[in-house]
Amino acid sequence: MHARTRSIDDGDEDGKAKALGLPGVALTVANKILVAVKALWVRSSPWLMLVDIRKLSCPESVGDALHRFRRNTNDFGYNYTLVLLFVAVACVVTKPFSLIVIAALAMAWVWVFYVRASEFHYNGQTYSLRAQGAAMVMFSAFVLMVATNVSQVLMGGLTAGFLACVGHSVVRAPEPPPEGDAEAQGIVGGFTEAVSGAAKSGYSQLSGALGQVGDMVPNSVRQQFDKVGINF
C-alpha cells in the first residue's frame, strides 16, 4: 500500500515538474540525485573505521590481499562509491569548462526525456524515444570523448580514486566476522550482493532492449534490409 502511494506521489511530482518546464524537471532530477546520495551515505559504514590507521598493514600473500579486497569491498563498498562520486564532482568543479559541457548535456537529456518526452518526426520518418536515446548516447560520447577533453579529466580523476580505493582495501586488515547483528558493530556490508543483484537486473533489461532494437531503425532502412534477408 505504501509502495503504491509512493509511486502515485512520484508520478504527481513528475507531472508538476513537467508542467513547470525545464527548471522544474531539473529540480526534480537534482532532488532524486540527492536522495540517491543520501541513501548511499546511510548504507555506508562509519568513516572512522575506514580511516583507522591502526588497521593498516601489508598483506602476507596474494591470497591474503585478495581476501582483504573481497571483505573490505563488501564492508566499505558504499564508502568507496561516495569517494569516487566526490572525486568526480571535484574534477568537474575545478574545471569550469567541463562543468558547462556536462550541464549542457544534462539539460539536453532532461529536455528530450522529461520535458518533450514524445516521438520525433523528421523527413517522413518517426523516431521513438528509444531511437532518440541511442542518438543522445552517441552525441554525448562524441562531445565528451572527441569534441572536448571532459572524458580525460573525469577518467584521470576516477582512475586515481579507483586505485586509491583498491589500495586501501588491500592494505587494510578486514574486520573480524560479525557475531549476531553486524550493524550493531558498525558494519553495514552487503555491497557485493547489492551490486550483483543490480548487475543481473541490468543484464535482463539490456537483453530485452536488444531484442527490440528494430524499433530504433527507420522504416525505409528496415525495408532495405528486408530485401536482403535481414529482419529486425
Side-chain angles (χ1 to χ4, degrees):
M1 182 66 181
H2 294 291
R4 182 180 178 182
T5 303
R6 183 165 55 252
S7 63
I8 294 176
D9 293 339
D10 293 340
D12 293 340
E13 292 179 0
D14 292 341
K16 293 178 181 178
K18 291 180 180 179
L20 293 176
L22 186 59
V25 175
L27 290 176
T28 301
V29 173
N31 180 65
K32 291 182 178 181
I33 293 175
L34 291 176
V35 171
V37 173
K38 183 179 179 181
L40 286 175
W41 181 270
V42 172
R43 293 286 297 167
S44 62
S45 296
W47 291 91
L48 291 178
M49 295 178 60
L50 181 73
V51 299
D52 189 358
I53 60 175
R54 296 172 298 178
K55 293 287 187 176
L56 301 181
S57 62
C58 294
E60 299 178 355
S61 62
V62 176
D64 183 35
L66 293 176
H67 172 70
R68 292 184 177 197
F69 175 76
R70 289 193 298 266
R71 284 290 310 278
N72 288 325
T73 300
N74 186 63
D75 292 343
F76 301 103
Y78 296 102
N79 302 72
Y80 294 149
T81 303
L82 288 173
V83 169
L84 292 177
L85 288 176
F86 175 79
V87 170
V89 172
C91 290
V92 173
V93 172
T94 55
K95 301 290 185 179
F97 178 73
S98 300
L99 182 61
I100 294 174
V101 172
I102 293 178
L105 286 176
M107 286 189 293
W109 278 87
V110 168
W111 172 260
V112 171
F113 291 101
Y114 286 91
V115 178
R116 194 169 55 83
S118 61
E119 294 181 343
F120 178 69
H121 303 277
Y122 177 74
N123 197 22
Q125 300 292 336
T126 300
Y127 299 91
S128 64
L129 281 177
R130 186 177 288 109
Q132 297 175 51
M136 286 296 298
V137 169
M138 291 186 290
F139 174 73
S140 300
F142 173 79
V143 171
L144 295 176
M145 299 181 181
V146 180
T148 66
N149 65 341
V150 176
S151 62
Q152 297 178 2
V153 173
L154 285 176
M155 290 305 298
L158 290 177
T159 300
F162 175 77
L163 293 177
C165 292
V166 172
H168 178 273
S169 66
V170 171
V171 300
R172 188 193 188 282
E175 296 293 326
E179 298 179 1
D181 189 2
E183 295 186 3
Q185 301 188 22
I187 300 176
V188 177
F191 179 78
T192 54
E193 290 83 356
V195 171
S196 177
K200 292 179 180 178
S201 176
Y203 177 78
S204 61
Q205 293 179 3
L206 178 61
S207 299
L210 292 177
Q212 300 177 355
V213 69
D215 294 340
M216 297 187 296
V217 181
N219 293 329
S220 60
V221 177
R222 190 182 309 171
Q223 291 173 1
Q224 296 297 326
F225 278 103
D226 290 340
K227 293 179 181 179
V228 296
I230 301 177
N231 299 321
F232 287 95

